[in-house]
Amino acid sequence: MKILITSPAEFLNFKAKAFRVMSMKYKPEDLTRLPRSVEYKNRMVHLIDQRLIPHEFKIIKLETVDEVAQAIKTMQIRGAPAIGAAAAFGLALYAETAKVESKEEFFNGFYRAYEILKNTRPTAVNLFWALNRIKHLAEEHREDSLNEIRQLIVEEAQKIADEDVEANLQMGHIGAEILPEGNILTHCNAGSLATVHLGTVGAVLRVIHKEGKLKLLWVDETRPVLQGARLSAWEYHYDGIPLKLITDNMAGFVMQQGKVDAIIVGADRIVANGDFANKIGTYTLAVLAKEHRIPFFTVAPLSTIDMSLKSGKEIPIEERKPEEVLTCGGCKIAPDVDVYNPAFDITPHKYLTGIITEKGVVYPPFERNLKKLFE
Amino acid sequence: MKILITSPAEFLNFKAKAFRVMSMKYKPEDLTRLPRSVEYKNRMVHLIDQRLIPHEFKIIKLETVDEVAQAIKTMQIRGAPAIGAAAAFGLALYAETAKVESKEEFFNGFYRAYEILKNTRPTAVNLFWALNRIKHLAEEHREDSLNEIRQLIVEEAQKIADEDVEANLQMGHIGAEILPEGNILTHCNAGSLATVHLGTVGAVLRVIHKEGKLKLLWVDETRPVLQGARLSAWEYHYDGIPLKLITDNMAGFVMQQGKVDAIIVGADRIVANGDFANKIGTYTLAVLAKEHRIPFFTVAPLSTIDMSLKSGKEIPIEERKPEEVLTCGGCKIAPDVDVYNPAFDITPHKYLTGIITEKGVVYPPFERNLKKLFE
């Protein structure tokens, strides 16, 4: 595994180390006690129902494409890479269970399933990436037998999931090499629950914890849907990582006191110039990181990078229903007033120290170095 | 009414206008439909129970000093000026109802009441200011008859409350002269509920709304105790001000989109160099305001200014119980993990455009100009 190192961010006093990771020290089972958050078994998509955590741990089994789409829409599963794998398994489910008379009928149904899954959420690019990867494969093999096509789709979906775990493991080892020892702050959940296993940010945190380099993890609760309080606090505490939960508006005060050595967050879409969409609140953390000269990284697989968009301004931002803001954890907290509820925000690349991927760390200038990454 | 104008903040492209407000255009009843949030009537302290809003509007009547202290501690009443008035009324209640045989016995009980009220909350300085004002008066009149002393204390407490309303009305008119037309963002509740009537920030918002200059008010929900979602959204909506409620972590994204023309917040304590303590999350807004070149004001009466402390580092910050973070609006939202829960943060004066007081707007250099204000 070769690490891509370019110039370190110029606005931060952060020293990037040029290095080469020779092999991966840890396997997933060394790093977490959690099972995979999404799997395909016995013609069913198995998901950890994330809306029930931390109160209940329950695996639900979905038997139709509509059920999978619904689970993505209602955020029973969320997190860009996990959504990608779930959607891929949705197509596998269709491929294996579709009762059709002809290949044409199979493809008609396949495209319907593709559309249903594609229209679940607009911001995370992994969803489209995973669906298109399977669609292209199926189209390439249109001349094969129906049974072969069914099998190819199931295998490809499985491969997408397995590759996601492998990529996270790589990101974990790479990130651990460059992060400073001390206190890390994270936002939302880019942990095991946001991916197939381990997490993007989650893998990095688990490796540095394993190596004794993580003193304390600050977990932003991440309103309105509370992925930090409900999911990150739960899964990192479950794996024995020392943490403190804070409300989102405390992050600045914690940084002001010198108690944060680095910030790492996930990404829902990174575009060609390094701008990226991530959970609402990420941009605020980026501004705070700049003000306090704290290294600020996003951790994401290549499948999150969308080279077709030039700048963050082109990323569609999902607005969700007002109830998410008017309630909290199921309780009504406000009178019925108007609400603005963007699910994501855009962080311009100028705030970013680096992008930790499974192929290495990308530093500024991002436009040039992201291009290099895909060459 | 003369307005103190000094040099405008240099880091912002904000033009301060030198002016003189000749008279106050509006009376409290022109600006709000709300009653006073704390009153002293018939030997009882009457409070709007703020823990019940927005679900229920209820006025509670307190008959003992312990009940008043408890109401402050549990935040049935909160907001620095409202706490000050409530504590003053607590002493009035003691003065009027104490069954004592001698003046000495009266003063012993008075000092006990003073201590009980003083030990309710540590950060807001108005509490100590109001209690000390009454204590000094009582001590000055130690030679008067017991009945005279009782009456003086009740009158002084009433005066503290009336002056608070008058001061807010002045701040409202002064603030309205210098704020730009457009969208304002506020945090927590420095409205009518945080004071005796109208509010500090609340008075400014009400005057600019009355004058048609307030396009939209962005209300931060203000976790963990949700004073924005519960109280500000409720009271400003009640008075017909157009607003949108957001979670705290959305403020940065709203500013990035150019949708905020000024930020105004309250203060729990302002010290001699202009640093100030306010509800947790204020510091983050200050950093965001600087990044987006948005004018950032605090609105507070002179009683909030503590010239005995040189810098914000000396202000004690109250840490509240973990349950506030682990729950939201009464619902459990997180597993039982460690929590950090500072109720306030400190905003260094360098982020501040100006301090709107009842005597005028104080601009940088704050150390010099605050001194001038008290000369």
Side-chain angles (χ1 to χ4, degrees):
Chain A
M1 185 165 51
K2 200 177 154 191
I3 308 295
L4 181 87
I5 291 288
T6 63
S7 64
E10 278 151 23
F11 69 94
L12 289 171
N13 279 334
F14 177 71
K15 285 177 202 146
K17 292 187 282 177
F19 66 95
R20 196 179 272 265
V21 178
M22 300 312 290
S23 65
M24 287 198 283
K25 268 188 183 161
Y26 307 110
K27 298 197 197 80
E29 55 269 32
D30 300 330
L31 299 171
T32 184
R33 292 162 53 212
L34 285 167
R36 288 192 176 195
S37 40
V38 53
E39 290 184 277
Y40 183 69
K41 285 192 289 205
N42 312 320
R43 303 185 168 210
M44 286 181 291
V45 180
H46 296 229
L47 298 179
I48 300 173
D49 187 341
Q50 304 193 22
R51 293 187 312 182
L52 303 178
I53 289 173
H55 309 298
E56 197 184 331
F57 182 87
K58 189 180 163 190
I59 290 176
I60 53 167
K61 297 172 186 177
L62 311 175
E63 301 184 8
T64 68
V65 170
D66 284 326
E67 282 176 14
V68 175
Q70 198 56 21
I72 295 171
K73 255 189 209 162
T74 61
M75 296 170 72
Q76 285 179 298
I77 186 159
R78 31 61 57 203
I83 289 173
F89 285 147
L91 290 183
L93 183 62
Y94 169 78
E96 210 170 7
T97 59
K99 290 192 182 76
V100 290
E101 303 287 322
S102 68
K103 216 191 275 180
E104 199 192 334
E105 201 189 330
F106 175 85
F107 268 95
N108 287 342
F110 177 83
Y111 289 126
R112 271 198 304 279
Y114 170 93
E115 288 297 327
I116 289 168
L117 291 163
K118 192 180 144 216
N119 291 320
T120 47
R121 296 194 65 194
T123 304
V125 78
N126 315 56
L127 172 66
F128 315 121
W129 171 86
L131 290 170
N132 286 332
R133 179 165 152 180
I134 290 181
K135 180 165 149 261
H136 291 153
L137 184 83
E139 286 168 348
E140 263 174 35
H141 290 266
R142 200 181 260 274
E143 301 311 314
D144 293 8
S145 76
L146 184 52
N147 275 345
E148 280 169 333
I149 296 172
R150 289 184 197 261
Q151 201 186 328
L152 268 174
I153 292 174
V154 173
E155 283 170 6
E156 191 69 9
Q158 197 57 61
K159 225 167 118 184
I160 286 174
D162 291 342
E163 284 172 11
D164 190 60
V165 180
E166 182 67 16
N168 287 353
L169 200 58
Q170 288 173 326
M171 283 177 245
H173 286 80
I174 291 169
E177 289 291 330
I178 60 157
L179 281 177
E181 228 173 295
N183 300 344
I184 307 286
L185 184 142
T186 193
H187 189 65
C188 193
N189 176 266
S192 194
L193 294 167
T195 61
V196 177
H197 208 198
L198 293 176
T200 53
V201 167
V204 176
L205 293 175
R206 288 180 164 95
V207 173
I208 60 177
H209 170 59
K210 186 85 185 170
E211 302 201 323
K213 283 168 60 183
L214 179 56
K215 209 170 134 200
L216 183 71
L217 177 66
W218 294 101
V219 178
D220 272 4
E221 68 174 7
T222 320
R223 276 280 286 152
V225 186
L226 299 165
Q227 291 92 339
R230 293 189 300 112
L231 308 178
S232 287
W234 180 83
E235 77 160 82
Y236 298 132
H237 183 66
Y238 187 84
D239 275 341
I241 292 174
L243 63 87
K244 283 198 186 195
L245 178 65
I246 53 174
T247 62
D248 301 309
N249 57 20
M250 290 171 189
F253 189 46
V254 172
M255 291 184 218
Q256 191 193 38
Q257 293 170 69
K259 293 178 184 168
V260 178
D261 299 299
I263 299 172
I264 52 176
V265 296
D268 286 80
R269 190 179 318 199
I270 301 170
V271 299
N273 71 348
D275 294 355
F276 72 107
N278 191 46
K279 182 54 55 199
I280 188 73
T282 301
Y283 170 64
T284 291
L285 290 178
V287 171
L288 288 167
K290 177 187 161 196
E291 186 73 7
H292 298 92
R293 306 177 73 81
I294 294 169
F296 181 78
F297 289 95
T298 180
V299 191
L302 297 194
S303 57
T304 302
I305 302 172
D306 179 0
M307 296 296 280
S308 76
L309 300 185
K310 278 186 197 142
S311 109
K313 288 185 189 117
E314 299 171 38
I315 305 175
I317 295 292
E318 177 183 7
E319 271 191 54
R320 296 181 62 86
K321 54 183 186 182
E323 285 67 31
E324 287 183 355
V325 174
L326 296 174
T327 64
C328 186
C331 280
K332 185 86 193 293
I333 57 160
D336 285 317
V337 294
D338 285 346
V339 157
Y340 177 50
N341 185 18
F344 304 93
D345 59 24
I346 305 292
T347 299
H349 61 271
K350 71 168 179 174
Y351 296 99
L352 200 51
T353 309
I355 304 169
I356 299 171
T357 77
E358 70 271 39
K359 295 290 175 211
V361 184
V362 184
Y363 288 107
F366 290 110
E367 198 168 339
R368 191 188 73 189
N369 293 334
L370 280 170
K371 219 172 180 180
K372 231 196 274 182
L373 193 67
F374 283 96
E375 271 163 18
Chain B
M1 184 164 52
K2 197 178 152 193
I3 308 295
L4 181 87
I5 292 288
T6 62
S7 63
E10 278 151 24
F11 72 95
L12 287 174
N13 280 333
F14 178 71
K15 286 176 201 146
K17 292 186 284 177
F19 66 96
R20 196 179 272 266
V21 178
M22 299 313 290
S23 66
M24 285 197 285
K25 268 188 182 161
Y26 307 109
K27 299 195 197 82
E29 54 271 32
D30 301 328
L31 299 172
T32 184
R33 293 163 52 211
L34 285 168
R36 289 192 175 194
S37 40
V38 53
E39 291 183 276
Y40 182 68
K41 286 192 288 205
N42 310 322
R43 303 187 168 206
M44 286 180 289
V45 179
H46 296 228
L47 297 179
I48 299 174
D49 187 341
Q50 305 194 19
R51 292 188 314 180
L52 303 178
I53 290 175
H55 309 297
E56 197 183 335
F57 182 88
K58 189 180 162 188
I59 291 176
I60 52 169
K61 298 172 184 179
L62 311 175
E63 302 184 7
T64 67
V65 169
D66 283 326
E67 284 176 12
V68 175
Q70 197 57 23
I72 295 172
K73 253 189 212 166
T74 61
M75 295 168 73
Q76 286 179 298
I77 187 158
R78 29 65 53 203
I83 289 173
F89 286 146
L91 291 183
L93 183 63
Y94 168 79
E96 209 169 10
T97 60
K99 292 192 181 75
V100 290
E101 304 287 323
S102 68
K103 217 191 277 180
E104 197 192 337
E105 201 188 329
F106 176 85
F107 269 95
N108 287 343
F110 177 83
Y111 289 126
R112 269 198 306 278
Y114 171 92
E115 287 297 328
I116 288 169
L117 291 163
K118 193 181 142 215
N119 290 320
T120 48
R121 297 195 65 193
T123 304
V125 77
N126 315 56
L127 173 66
F128 314 120
W129 170 87
L131 290 170
N132 286 333
R133 181 165 150 179
I134 291 181
K135 180 165 150 262
H136 292 153
L137 183 84
E139 285 168 348
E140 264 173 36
H141 290 265
R142 200 183 261 272
E143 302 311 314
D144 293 7
S145 77
L146 184 52
N147 276 345
E148 281 168 334
I149 295 173
R150 289 185 197 259
Q151 201 186 327
L152 267 175
I153 290 176
V154 173
E155 284 170 6
E156 190 70 6
Q158 196 58 61
K159 225 167 119 185
I160 285 174
D162 292 341
E163 284 173 11
D164 190 58
V165 181
E166 182 66 15
N168 287 353
L169 200 58
Q170 288 172 326
M171 282 176 244
H173 286 79
I174 291 168
E177 287 292 330
I178 60 155
L179 280 177
E181 226 173 296
N183 300 343
I184 307 286
L185 185 141
T186 193
H187 189 67
C188 195
N189 177 266
S192 194
L193 294 166
T195 61
V196 177
H197 208 198
L198 292 176
T200 53
V201 167
V204 177
L205 293 174
R206 288 180 163 93
V207 174
I208 59 176
H209 170 59
K210 186 86 184 168
E211 303 203 320
K213 283 169 61 183
L214 179 55
K215 209 171 133 201
L216 183 72
L217 176 66
W218 294 101
V219 178
D220 273 3
E221 68 174 7
T222 319
R223 277 280 285 150
V225 185
L226 298 164
Q227 292 92 338
R230 292 190 300 112
L231 307 178
S232 287
W234 180 83
E235 75 160 86
Y236 298 132
H237 182 67
Y238 186 84
D239 274 341
I241 292 174
L243 63 84
K244 283 198 186 196
L245 178 64
I246 53 175
T247 62
D248 301 309
N249 58 20
M250 291 173 191
F253 189 46
V254 172
M255 291 184 218
Q256 190 194 41
Q257 294 170 68
K259 294 177 181 166
V260 178
D261 300 299
I263 300 173
I264 52 176
V265 297
D268 286 79
R269 191 181 316 201
I270 300 170
V271 300
N273 70 350
D275 294 354
F276 73 107
N278 191 45
K279 181 53 56 199
I280 188 73
T282 302
Y283 170 65
T284 291
L285 289 179
V287 172
L288 288 168
K290 176 187 161 198
E291 185 72 7
H292 298 93
R293 307 177 73 82
I294 295 169
F296 181 79
F297 289 94
T298 180
V299 190
L302 297 193
S303 57
T304 303
I305 301 171
D306 179 0
M307 296 297 282
S308 77
L309 300 186
K310 278 189 199 140
S311 108
K313 290 188 186 112
E314 298 170 39
I315 305 175
I317 295 293
E318 176 183 8
E319 270 191 53
R320 296 182 62 87
K321 55 184 185 182
E323 285 68 30
E324 288 184 353
V325 173
L326 297 174
T327 64
C328 185
C331 280
K332 185 88 192 290
I333 57 161
D336 286 317
V337 294
D338 285 346
V339 156
Y340 177 51
N341 185 19
F344 303 93
D345 59 24
I346 305 292
T347 299
H349 61 272
K350 71 168 178 173
Y351 295 99
L352 200 51
T353 308
I355 304 169
I356 299 170
T357 76
E358 70 270 38
K359 294 289 175 215
V361 185
V362 184
Y363 288 106
F366 290 109
E367 197 165 342
R368 193 189 70 191
N369 293 334
L370 281 171
K371 219 174 181 178
K372 232 195 273 180
L373 192 68
F374 284 96
E375 270 165 18

